[in-house]
Amino acid sequence: MVKNKSRRAAEIEHPSGDPRFNLVDRTLKRFQYQQDALIEVLHTAQEVFGFLEDDLLIYVARQLKLPLSWVYGVATFYHFFSLKPQGEHTCTVCMGTACYVKQAAEIVAMLQAEFGVAPGQTTADDKLSVATARCLGSCGLAPVIVIDSDVLGRQTADSTLAEIKARLSGQIRARQLEAASANDEVEEMEAETL
Amino acid sequence: MNRSDLQTLGERELAKQQSTGCRLLCCGSTPCLSSGGTAVQEVFKGILKENKDLKAELAVVSTGCMGPCSRGPLVRVQRQGEPDVIYEKVTPELAQEIFKKHVSGEDTNQAEANILPGDIPFFSKQKKVVLANSGLIDPERLEDYVAQGGYMALANALREMTPEEVCSEIIDSGLRGRGGAGYPSGLKWNLVRRAKTDKKYVVANGDEGDPGAYMDRTLMESDPHRVLEGMAIAGYAVGAEQGFIYVRGEYPIAAKRLEKAIRMAERRGLLGSRVMDTAFNFRIDIRIGAGAFVCGEETALMASIMGRRGQPIPRPPYPAQSGLWGYPTLINNVETFGSIAPIINNGAEWFAGIGTAKSRGTKIFALAGQVENTGLIEVPMGISLREIVFDIGGGVPNGHTFKAAQTGGPSGGCIPADYLDTPVDYDSLRELGSIMGSGGLVVMDDTTSMPDVAKYFMEFCMDESCGKCVPCRVGTVQLYRILERVTAGIATRNDLTIMEELCTMMQETSLCGLGQSAPNPLLSTLRYFRHEYEALIKDDLPLTSDRFALATSSVLPRQEVS
C-alpha cells in the first residue's frame, strides 16, 4: 500500500520540478484529493504562483481527476481568481456604495488618465495592476484603496497618485508585510507560553 | 473541559483582569488599524517592553471594533473603580500623553480634547447584545471570552436542555434570520432537527457581499468565539456533527481569527469530539469564498462549499431538506448565530422583550456614506430611521441635507426623507419597497443623483449575475442599458415604461434572490424620486448618432475577468 502511494506521487509530480508545486501538493494532500476541495486548492495555487496559468489548471484538474472544463469553469466564475499575471504592484479601488457616494470613481478615472490602465488591466511594463473591489468592508473610511495589501482610507485622487508614485519608485515598502511578520513572531511566542 | 472547569477558567481570568490596575484597550479592527492604530499600539507595547516592572499593573489589549470607526484610532482606558475613558483619533504622541496621565499619574491635560464622552447619543441610543463583547475583549484569546461568560450557554444547553427544548427556546424568542429575508430561525432549526438522516450540517453564512455592509466581518473579527458557540448550540439542537463557516475571500483577518479561535476551542475541548465531556461531537471548518456576490444565496453558497461554481438551484427542496451533499443543512447568517448564546443565557422572554411585536431583538447596522459618525451600531428593532441617522449618526455633514437612506444593498431600496419616522423592522421596510438586508445603511445627501445610484446598483447586479437564468442575466443588462441612456439624457418616456415592465418580469421569473431583488433599487428610486428621472427625459429627441449607437450596441463592453 505504502509502496503504491509513493509510486503514485512519483508519477504525478509536475515534470518541471518547480518547487512551488510542492506547496500545491501539500494542500491537495491536506484535503485528501477530494474533488470538493477545488476552490481551496485554487486559492493555494494562486497564492503561490500569483495567478492561475493554463499549465497550473491542467495540473490541478489531473490531480483531482476533474475535467479541465470544470476547473476552468470554477476558476473563471469567481472574481478572486486571476488567469493573467499581475503587475509588481497592485492598486485596488473599492467601489462599494459608501466609497461610490464619496467619489471613488474619480480615483479610477485618475488611474486611467495617469497610467492608461482600466480596472482589470496591467501596465505594459508589468509594474502596476489596477482593480476594483465590490466592498472591502471598511466603509467608515470611504473611499478606500488597497495598495499591495495595505488598506488606505479617506483617499483622494491626488493622495492615491502620490502613494502609487512612491511605491513605484521603491520609496515605500509594503507596510503590511513587516507588520505581519512581526505579528507572527508574537504569535509564536504566545504559542510557546501556552 | 467541563462546566466547572470553564467557570474556574473564567473566574481566574476575571480576577487577573481586575487585579491589573490599568488596562489600555486599543481598537484592532481594520478601519482603526488603517488609520494609524498600529503605530499607537506599538507605542504602548514599547512602553511595556521598556518598563518590565509595570507588567503587573498595566495591560495593553488589542480588541475588536468599538463602533465609531470614523473617529479612529480609538483607545479605551479601563481603571479599577473609575469609569472608562475613550479617546478618539489617537496619534502616537497622544498615546504617550495617555500613558502619562493614566498610568504614571502625571498631571497633564493634553489629551483632554480627544476624549469621546460616553453619554453621547452614539452610545446611549444603542443596545449591545450581539456586539456586547466587541471592543472589550481580545478576540484572539479564548480566556477573554470565557471571562465574559462565554461558552456558558453551550455548557448549559448540553447539560440541562434537550435539542427539542433548545429549538423551542429559539422559536419563543422570535429570532428571525439576520441575513435579510427574516425567516423565523427557530422554525428552520426544527425542520432540520426533525429530518431523519445519519448526517446533517450547520453552515454559517459569512459571505457578506452587499457593498456598504460590514457587520458580519466585524462580528467575526471582534468576537469569533461567539459565532462558534452559536454554531455549536445549533449543531446540538439539530443533531449535526459538522459545521462550516463560509467567509468572504476579502476578509483575510476574519478567517485568520476564526481559524485560531477554532484551534483554541478544540484544544480546550469546547469543540471537536466529546464537547465538554458529553457525547456530543462538533467540528467546524472554514471555507474561504472567492469573490462572488451570488454566493450569499444559500444554494449557491452550498455549491461553493462543495467546490463548484456558485450557481443557485431552484427551491424546493430547501437546504433544510436537502443541502450539502444531499443532507439536511441548517444555514444561518453569522449574526443570527451571534444572537444564540445571549438567548440561551438570558431566556427567550428577555430577547422577545426587545424590539417590536414582529421583529424581536436587536440589529447591527453598518452606518456609512454622508453622515457625521460612520461606524458600526447595534440598535433595538423598531427604532426610527431619524434616530439612527440624526442622533446616532450625528446628521449629514458639510451643511448638506438628508436625501435618502439606502438599506439592503443591491437588493434593497432607498428610503426618502418623508419616511424618516418609520420604525426600522423587517415589515415596515418591506412596505417601503426596501428590505432590512444584512444591515448596510448608506446615507445619501442632496448631491447624490438617484438615477445614478440606480445605475450603480444595476451595474453591480449585471456583473454579479451568475448567468444561469435568463430573466436575471438578460434583464440586468437591458435595464442597465436603459439606465445608461437615462443618465446620459437621451432616454424617452417610453423607456421608463419598459423599465417598469422589465422590473416586474424579473421579480416574478428569476430563479434566485439576486434576480428577484435586483430591480428593487431601481423601483424604489422610481417610486420616490420619479421627478429626477423625468427631468432627464426628453420626449422629442431626434435620433442622433450618439443615441443610435447606444441604442443599438448589442453587447456592452464589460470588465475583463481580473
Side-chain angles (χ1 to χ4, degrees), chain B residues 519-556:
Chain B
N520 286 358
L522 173 56
L523 281 176
S524 80
T525 49
L526 266 173
R527 180 166 155 193
Y528 299 118
F529 301 96
R530 204 180 176 91
H531 54 276
E532 289 192 28
Y533 284 89
E534 283 174 347
L536 289 165
I537 277 172
K538 296 187 183 67
D539 277 325
D540 46 352
L541 206 67
L543 195 64
T544 57
S545 58
D546 272 6
R547 195 174 153 222
F548 186 74
L550 259 177
T552 53
S553 62
S554 57
V555 181
L556 275 171

mmCIF file of all heavy atoms in Angstrom, chain B residues 519-556:
data_model
loop_
_atom_site.group_PDB
_atom_site.id
_atom_site.type_symbol
_atom_site.label_atom_id
_atom_site.label_comp_id
_atom_site.label_asym_id
_atom_site.label_seq_id
_atom_site.Cartn_x
_atom_site.Cartn_y
_atom_site.Cartn_z
ATOM 1 N N PRO B 519 -34.196 44.460 -9.185
ATOM 2 C CA PRO B 519 -34.891 45.691 -9.577
ATOM 3 C C PRO B 519 -35.245 46.615 -8.404
ATOM 4 O O PRO B 519 -35.649 47.748 -8.640
ATOM 5 C CB PRO B 519 -36.182 45.182 -10.242
ATOM 6 C CG PRO B 519 -35.966 43.750 -10.502
ATOM 7 C CD PRO B 519 -35.022 43.283 -9.456
ATOM 8 N N ASN B 520 -35.110 46.117 -7.157
ATOM 9 C CA ASN B 520 -35.561 46.920 -6.008
ATOM 10 C C ASN B 520 -34.986 48.336 -5.952
ATOM 11 O O ASN B 520 -35.729 49.285 -5.763
ATOM 12 C CB ASN B 520 -35.259 46.201 -4.699
ATOM 13 C CG ASN B 520 -36.203 45.045 -4.469
ATOM 14 O OD1 ASN B 520 -37.096 44.815 -5.268
ATOM 15 N ND2 ASN B 520 -36.007 44.312 -3.396
ATOM 16 N N PRO B 521 -33.654 48.530 -6.085
ATOM 17 C CA PRO B 521 -33.141 49.895 -6.009
ATOM 18 C C PRO B 521 -33.747 50.788 -7.092
ATOM 19 O O PRO B 521 -34.086 51.943 -6.843
ATOM 20 C CB PRO B 521 -31.632 49.736 -6.238
ATOM 21 C CG PRO B 521 -31.335 48.322 -5.944
ATOM 22 C CD PRO B 521 -32.568 47.556 -6.264
ATOM 23 N N LEU B 522 -33.921 50.224 -8.295
ATOM 24 C CA LEU B 522 -34.480 50.995 -9.391
ATOM 25 C C LEU B 522 -35.936 51.351 -9.113
ATOM 26 O O LEU B 522 -36.353 52.502 -9.239
ATOM 27 C CB LEU B 522 -34.349 50.182 -10.689
ATOM 28 C CG LEU B 522 -35.022 50.754 -11.928
ATOM 29 C CD1 LEU B 522 -34.525 52.159 -12.211
ATOM 30 C CD2 LEU B 522 -34.751 49.856 -13.126
ATOM 31 N N LEU B 523 -36.716 50.334 -8.691
ATOM 32 C CA LEU B 523 -38.133 50.577 -8.444
ATOM 33 C C LEU B 523 -38.340 51.576 -7.317
ATOM 34 O O LEU B 523 -39.215 52.440 -7.394
ATOM 35 C CB LEU B 523 -38.838 49.260 -8.114
ATOM 36 C CG LEU B 523 -39.166 48.380 -9.316
ATOM 37 C CD1 LEU B 523 -39.780 47.078 -8.855
ATOM 38 C CD2 LEU B 523 -40.113 49.094 -10.264
ATOM 39 N N SER B 524 -37.529 51.467 -6.254
ATOM 40 C CA SER B 524 -37.760 52.371 -5.126
ATOM 41 C C SER B 524 -37.347 53.795 -5.484
ATOM 42 O O SER B 524 -37.990 54.745 -5.065
ATOM 43 C CB SER B 524 -37.043 51.878 -3.874
ATOM 44 O OG SER B 524 -35.696 52.203 -3.911
ATOM 45 N N THR B 525 -36.295 53.959 -6.291
ATOM 46 C CA THR B 525 -35.952 55.332 -6.688
ATOM 47 C C THR B 525 -36.986 55.871 -7.673
ATOM 48 O O THR B 525 -37.297 57.053 -7.655
ATOM 49 C CB THR B 525 -34.546 55.419 -7.313
ATOM 50 O OG1 THR B 525 -34.415 54.420 -8.311
ATOM 51 C CG2 THR B 525 -33.453 55.229 -6.287
ATOM 52 N N LEU B 526 -37.544 54.981 -8.522
ATOM 53 C CA LEU B 526 -38.603 55.436 -9.427
ATOM 54 C C LEU B 526 -39.838 55.858 -8.637
ATOM 55 O O LEU B 526 -40.547 56.788 -9.010
ATOM 56 C CB LEU B 526 -39.002 54.302 -10.379
ATOM 57 C CG LEU B 526 -38.326 54.253 -11.744
ATOM 58 C CD1 LEU B 526 -38.708 52.987 -12.477
ATOM 59 C CD2 LEU B 526 -38.680 55.471 -12.573
ATOM 60 N N ARG B 527 -40.052 55.161 -7.520
ATOM 61 C CA ARG B 527 -41.252 55.440 -6.725
ATOM 62 C C ARG B 527 -41.122 56.782 -5.993
ATOM 63 O O ARG B 527 -42.048 57.564 -5.955
ATOM 64 C CB ARG B 527 -41.417 54.303 -5.725
ATOM 65 C CG ARG B 527 -42.594 54.405 -4.802
ATOM 66 C CD ARG B 527 -42.804 53.042 -4.134
ATOM 67 N NE ARG B 527 -43.478 53.149 -2.857
ATOM 68 C CZ ARG B 527 -43.553 52.136 -1.981
ATOM 69 N NH1 ARG B 527 -42.973 50.983 -2.259
ATOM 70 N NH2 ARG B 527 -44.193 52.286 -0.843
ATOM 71 N N TYR B 528 -39.959 57.038 -5.432
ATOM 72 C CA TYR B 528 -39.831 58.233 -4.601
ATOM 73 C C TYR B 528 -39.146 59.407 -5.302
ATOM 74 O O TYR B 528 -39.261 60.534 -4.865
ATOM 75 C CB TYR B 528 -39.048 57.896 -3.327
ATOM 76 C CG TYR B 528 -39.712 56.857 -2.475
ATOM 77 C CD1 TYR B 528 -39.093 55.649 -2.214
ATOM 78 C CD2 TYR B 528 -40.980 57.091 -1.938
ATOM 79 C CE1 TYR B 528 -39.701 54.680 -1.439
ATOM 80 C CE2 TYR B 528 -41.597 56.133 -1.163
ATOM 81 C CZ TYR B 528 -40.953 54.930 -0.910
ATOM 82 O OH TYR B 528 -41.574 53.979 -0.153
ATOM 83 N N PHE B 529 -38.390 59.136 -6.327
ATOM 84 C CA PHE B 529 -37.640 60.221 -6.979
ATOM 85 C C PHE B 529 -37.907 60.242 -8.478
ATOM 86 O O PHE B 529 -37.012 60.461 -9.277
ATOM 87 C CB PHE B 529 -36.133 60.059 -6.703
ATOM 88 C CG PHE B 529 -35.798 60.067 -5.243
ATOM 89 C CD1 PHE B 529 -35.646 58.887 -4.549
ATOM 90 C CD2 PHE B 529 -35.659 61.271 -4.563
ATOM 91 C CE1 PHE B 529 -35.352 58.889 -3.187
ATOM 92 C CE2 PHE B 529 -35.358 61.283 -3.208
ATOM 93 C CZ PHE B 529 -35.207 60.088 -2.522
ATOM 94 N N ARG B 530 -39.165 59.987 -8.847
ATOM 95 C CA ARG B 530 -39.512 59.926 -10.260
ATOM 96 C C ARG B 530 -39.185 61.233 -10.972
ATOM 97 O O ARG B 530 -38.779 61.235 -12.139
ATOM 98 C CB ARG B 530 -41.000 59.615 -10.402
ATOM 99 C CG ARG B 530 -41.311 58.979 -11.732
ATOM 100 C CD ARG B 530 -42.793 58.660 -11.873
ATOM 101 N NE ARG B 530 -43.005 58.136 -13.214
ATOM 102 C CZ ARG B 530 -42.942 56.840 -13.503
ATOM 103 N NH1 ARG B 530 -42.680 55.978 -12.575
ATOM 104 N NH2 ARG B 530 -43.123 56.440 -14.743
ATOM 105 N N HIS B 531 -39.330 62.333 -10.245
ATOM 106 C CA HIS B 531 -39.080 63.646 -10.884
ATOM 107 C C HIS B 531 -37.635 63.737 -11.381
ATOM 108 O O HIS B 531 -37.366 64.401 -12.373
ATOM 109 C CB HIS B 531 -39.402 64.774 -9.920
ATOM 110 C CG HIS B 531 -38.671 64.656 -8.604
ATOM 111 N ND1 HIS B 531 -39.135 63.873 -7.573
ATOM 112 C CD2 HIS B 531 -37.522 65.204 -8.167
ATOM 113 C CE1 HIS B 531 -38.298 63.940 -6.547
ATOM 114 N NE2 HIS B 531 -37.308 64.747 -6.883
ATOM 115 N N GLU B 532 -36.718 63.047 -10.702
ATOM 116 C CA GLU B 532 -35.321 63.111 -11.161
ATOM 117 C C GLU B 532 -35.154 62.384 -12.489
ATOM 118 O O GLU B 532 -34.358 62.785 -13.330
ATOM 119 C CB GLU B 532 -34.383 62.503 -10.118
ATOM 120 C CG GLU B 532 -34.252 63.374 -8.896
ATOM 121 C CD GLU B 532 -33.111 62.919 -8.006
ATOM 122 O OE1 GLU B 532 -32.140 62.344 -8.521
ATOM 123 O OE2 GLU B 532 -33.216 63.152 -6.791
ATOM 124 N N TYR B 533 -35.898 61.302 -12.634
ATOM 125 C CA TYR B 533 -35.833 60.571 -13.910
ATOM 126 C C TYR B 533 -36.468 61.419 -15.001
ATOM 127 O O TYR B 533 -35.933 61.556 -16.100
ATOM 128 C CB TYR B 533 -36.581 59.241 -13.808
ATOM 129 C CG TYR B 533 -35.830 58.178 -13.049
ATOM 130 C CD1 TYR B 533 -35.954 58.051 -11.674
ATOM 131 C CD2 TYR B 533 -34.980 57.301 -13.711
ATOM 132 C CE1 TYR B 533 -35.268 57.088 -10.974
ATOM 133 C CE2 TYR B 533 -34.282 56.314 -13.020
ATOM 134 C CZ TYR B 533 -34.433 56.223 -11.642
ATOM 135 O OH TYR B 533 -33.745 55.251 -10.954
ATOM 136 N N GLU B 534 -37.632 62.012 -14.638
ATOM 137 C CA GLU B 534 -38.361 62.768 -15.651
ATOM 138 C C GLU B 534 -37.607 64.010 -16.089
ATOM 139 O O GLU B 534 -37.694 64.437 -17.241
ATOM 140 C CB GLU B 534 -39.762 63.110 -15.133
ATOM 141 C CG GLU B 534 -40.645 61.871 -15.218
ATOM 142 C CD GLU B 534 -42.014 62.039 -14.612
ATOM 143 O OE1 GLU B 534 -42.222 63.044 -13.893
ATOM 144 O OE2 GLU B 534 -42.856 61.161 -14.852
ATOM 145 N N ALA B 535 -36.842 64.566 -15.176
ATOM 146 C CA ALA B 535 -36.052 65.749 -15.531
ATOM 147 C C ALA B 535 -34.994 65.415 -16.578
ATOM 148 O O ALA B 535 -34.544 66.278 -17.329
ATOM 149 C CB ALA B 535 -35.390 66.322 -14.283
ATOM 150 N N LEU B 536 -34.601 64.136 -16.615
ATOM 151 C CA LEU B 536 -33.538 63.732 -17.549
ATOM 152 C C LEU B 536 -34.098 63.268 -18.893
ATOM 153 O O LEU B 536 -33.351 62.975 -19.822
ATOM 154 C CB LEU B 536 -32.727 62.587 -16.936
ATOM 155 C CG LEU B 536 -31.818 62.953 -15.768
ATOM 156 C CD1 LEU B 536 -31.364 61.702 -15.035
ATOM 157 C CD2 LEU B 536 -30.605 63.734 -16.245
ATOM 158 N N ILE B 537 -35.426 63.181 -18.953
ATOM 159 C CA ILE B 537 -36.044 62.592 -20.151
ATOM 160 C C ILE B 537 -36.462 63.662 -21.136
ATOM 161 O O ILE B 537 -36.963 64.718 -20.748
ATOM 162 C CB ILE B 537 -37.264 61.750 -19.719
ATOM 163 C CG1 ILE B 537 -36.768 60.385 -19.280
ATOM 164 C CG2 ILE B 537 -38.273 61.617 -20.838
ATOM 165 C CD1 ILE B 537 -37.829 59.569 -18.682
ATOM 166 N N LYS B 538 -36.228 63.382 -22.391
ATOM 167 C CA LYS B 538 -36.700 64.304 -23.430
ATOM 168 C C LYS B 538 -37.603 63.515 -24.356
ATOM 169 O O LYS B 538 -37.246 62.444 -24.820
ATOM 170 C CB LYS B 538 -35.515 64.879 -24.195
ATOM 171 C CG LYS B 538 -34.643 65.724 -23.292
ATOM 172 C CD LYS B 538 -33.564 66.425 -24.073
ATOM 173 C CE LYS B 538 -32.645 67.200 -23.143
ATOM 174 N NZ LYS B 538 -31.841 66.308 -22.265
ATOM 175 N N ASP B 539 -38.790 64.067 -24.617
ATOM 176 C CA ASP B 539 -39.751 63.315 -25.415
ATOM 177 C C ASP B 539 -39.534 63.454 -26.908
ATOM 178 O O ASP B 539 -39.714 62.525 -27.670
ATOM 179 C CB ASP B 539 -41.176 63.762 -25.066
ATOM 180 C CG ASP B 539 -41.641 63.025 -23.831
ATOM 181 O OD1 ASP B 539 -41.274 61.857 -23.686
ATOM 182 O OD2 ASP B 539 -42.336 63.633 -23.013
ATOM 183 N N ASP B 540 -39.118 64.663 -27.290
ATOM 184 C CA ASP B 540 -38.997 64.894 -28.730
ATOM 185 C C ASP B 540 -37.524 64.943 -29.123
ATOM 186 O O ASP B 540 -37.031 65.922 -29.655
ATOM 187 C CB ASP B 540 -39.688 66.207 -29.107
ATOM 188 C CG ASP B 540 -39.299 67.315 -28.144
ATOM 189 O OD1 ASP B 540 -38.626 66.991 -27.132
ATOM 190 O OD2 ASP B 540 -39.623 68.479 -28.397
ATOM 191 N N LEU B 541 -36.844 63.866 -28.841
ATOM 192 C CA LEU B 541 -35.407 63.845 -29.084
ATOM 193 C C LEU B 541 -35.133 63.324 -30.490
ATOM 194 O O LEU B 541 -35.629 62.264 -30.867
ATOM 195 C CB LEU B 541 -34.765 62.911 -28.056
ATOM 196 C CG LEU B 541 -33.322 63.153 -27.689
ATOM 197 C CD1 LEU B 541 -33.166 64.460 -26.943
ATOM 198 C CD2 LEU B 541 -32.840 62.012 -26.837
ATOM 199 N N PRO B 542 -34.376 64.030 -31.275
ATOM 200 C CA PRO B 542 -34.041 63.494 -32.589
ATOM 201 C C PRO B 542 -33.070 62.323 -32.434
ATOM 202 O O PRO B 542 -32.329 62.247 -31.455
ATOM 203 C CB PRO B 542 -33.370 64.669 -33.297
ATOM 204 C CG PRO B 542 -32.835 65.509 -32.197
ATOM 205 C CD PRO B 542 -33.737 65.339 -31.031
ATOM 206 N N LEU B 543 -33.099 61.437 -33.373
ATOM 207 C CA LEU B 543 -32.238 60.260 -33.300
ATOM 208 C C LEU B 543 -30.830 60.648 -33.736
ATOM 209 O O LEU B 543 -30.475 60.572 -34.903
ATOM 210 C CB LEU B 543 -32.804 59.145 -34.181
ATOM 211 C CG LEU B 543 -32.226 57.762 -33.934
ATOM 212 C CD1 LEU B 543 -32.559 57.263 -32.552
ATOM 213 C CD2 LEU B 543 -32.749 56.803 -34.981
ATOM 214 N N THR B 544 -30.035 61.060 -32.758
ATOM 215 C CA THR B 544 -28.668 61.463 -33.087
ATOM 216 C C THR B 544 -27.799 60.213 -33.220
ATOM 217 O O THR B 544 -28.204 59.122 -32.844
ATOM 218 C CB THR B 544 -28.090 62.339 -31.968
ATOM 219 O OG1 THR B 544 -28.180 61.582 -30.769
ATOM 220 C CG2 THR B 544 -28.834 63.630 -31.838
ATOM 221 N N SER B 545 -26.628 60.397 -33.731
ATOM 222 C CA SER B 545 -25.750 59.243 -33.928
ATOM 223 C C SER B 545 -25.372 58.633 -32.583
ATOM 224 O O SER B 545 -25.296 57.425 -32.427
ATOM 225 C CB SER B 545 -24.506 59.658 -34.695
ATOM 226 O OG SER B 545 -23.844 60.682 -33.996
ATOM 227 N N ASP B 546 -25.157 59.491 -31.573
ATOM 228 C CA ASP B 546 -24.821 59.010 -30.228
ATOM 229 C C ASP B 546 -25.885 58.061 -29.718
ATOM 230 O O ASP B 546 -25.623 56.981 -29.231
ATOM 231 C CB ASP B 546 -24.792 60.190 -29.239
ATOM 232 C CG ASP B 546 -23.438 60.824 -29.202
ATOM 233 O OD1 ASP B 546 -22.612 60.408 -30.031
ATOM 234 O OD2 ASP B 546 -23.241 61.732 -28.387
ATOM 235 N N ARG B 547 -27.104 58.549 -29.831
ATOM 236 C CA ARG B 547 -28.206 57.805 -29.272
ATOM 237 C C ARG B 547 -28.407 56.523 -30.055
ATOM 238 O O ARG B 547 -28.687 55.465 -29.489
ATOM 239 C CB ARG B 547 -29.458 58.673 -29.361
ATOM 240 C CG ARG B 547 -30.540 58.123 -28.500
ATOM 241 C CD ARG B 547 -31.720 59.028 -28.444
ATOM 242 N NE ARG B 547 -32.862 58.180 -28.187
ATOM 243 C CZ ARG B 547 -34.018 58.309 -28.767
ATOM 244 N NH1 ARG B 547 -34.217 59.278 -29.633
ATOM 245 N NH2 ARG B 547 -34.981 57.489 -28.480
ATOM 246 N N PHE B 548 -28.213 56.617 -31.345
ATOM 247 C CA PHE B 548 -28.353 55.442 -32.181
ATOM 248 C C PHE B 548 -27.322 54.381 -31.778
ATOM 249 O O PHE B 548 -27.646 53.208 -31.623
ATOM 250 C CB PHE B 548 -28.172 55.836 -33.647
ATOM 251 C CG PHE B 548 -28.447 54.700 -34.580
ATOM 252 C CD1 PHE B 548 -29.754 54.286 -34.807
ATOM 253 C CD2 PHE B 548 -27.424 54.041 -35.223
ATOM 254 C CE1 PHE B 548 -30.021 53.231 -35.657
ATOM 255 C CE2 PHE B 548 -27.677 52.981 -36.063
ATOM 256 C CZ PHE B 548 -28.983 52.580 -36.285
ATOM 257 N N ALA B 549 -26.117 54.858 -31.555
ATOM 258 C CA ALA B 549 -25.048 53.925 -31.199
ATOM 259 C C ALA B 549 -25.372 53.228 -29.882
ATOM 260 O O ALA B 549 -25.234 52.011 -29.744
ATOM 261 C CB ALA B 549 -23.723 54.662 -31.096
ATOM 262 N N LEU B 550 -25.838 54.010 -28.902
ATOM 263 C CA LEU B 550 -26.148 53.423 -27.601
ATOM 264 C C LEU B 550 -27.320 52.467 -27.691
ATOM 265 O O LEU B 550 -27.349 51.437 -27.034
ATOM 266 C CB LEU B 550 -26.482 54.544 -26.610
ATOM 267 C CG LEU B 550 -25.383 54.936 -25.638
ATOM 268 C CD1 LEU B 550 -25.847 56.096 -24.804
ATOM 269 C CD2 LEU B 550 -25.002 53.765 -24.754
ATOM 270 N N ALA B 551 -28.287 52.836 -28.523
ATOM 271 C CA ALA B 551 -29.498 52.029 -28.585
ATOM 272 C C ALA B 551 -29.263 50.724 -29.325
ATOM 273 O O ALA B 551 -29.960 49.752 -29.118
ATOM 274 C CB ALA B 551 -30.606 52.823 -29.264
ATOM 275 N N THR B 552 -28.270 50.695 -30.183
ATOM 276 C CA THR B 552 -28.095 49.504 -31.000
ATOM 277 C C THR B 552 -26.899 48.649 -30.596
ATOM 278 O O THR B 552 -26.743 47.549 -31.104
ATOM 279 C CB THR B 552 -27.922 49.878 -32.486
ATOM 280 O OG1 THR B 552 -26.877 50.839 -32.560
ATOM 281 C CG2 THR B 552 -29.192 50.444 -33.068
ATOM 282 N N SER B 553 -26.054 49.170 -29.703
ATOM 283 C CA SER B 553 -24.885 48.365 -29.329
ATOM 284 C C SER B 553 -25.384 47.064 -28.710
ATOM 285 O O SER B 553 -26.172 47.069 -27.777
ATOM 286 C CB SER B 553 -24.005 49.126 -28.343
ATOM 287 O OG SER B 553 -24.733 49.380 -27.181
ATOM 288 N N SER B 554 -24.951 45.954 -29.267
ATOM 289 C CA SER B 554 -25.557 44.691 -28.861
ATOM 290 C C SER B 554 -25.061 44.247 -27.498
ATOM 291 O O SER B 554 -25.812 43.847 -26.638
ATOM 292 C CB SER B 554 -25.273 43.623 -29.903
ATOM 293 O OG SER B 554 -23.874 43.515 -30.059
ATOM 294 N N VAL B 555 -23.766 44.309 -27.300
ATOM 295 C CA VAL B 555 -23.224 43.879 -26.014
ATOM 296 C C VAL B 555 -22.396 45.022 -25.460
ATOM 297 O O VAL B 555 -21.635 45.646 -26.177
ATOM 298 C CB VAL B 555 -22.333 42.629 -26.170
ATOM 299 C CG1 VAL B 555 -21.803 42.203 -24.832
ATOM 300 C CG2 VAL B 555 -23.119 41.519 -26.826
ATOM 301 N N LEU B 556 -22.562 45.249 -24.177
ATOM 302 C CA LEU B 556 -21.783 46.321 -23.558
ATOM 303 C C LEU B 556 -20.341 45.894 -23.365
ATOM 304 O O LEU B 556 -20.089 44.727 -23.076
ATOM 305 C CB LEU B 556 -22.364 46.623 -22.185
ATOM 306 C CG LEU B 556 -23.526 47.581 -22.196
ATOM 307 C CD1 LEU B 556 -24.125 47.614 -20.816
ATOM 308 C CD2 LEU B 556 -23.047 48.964 -22.560
#
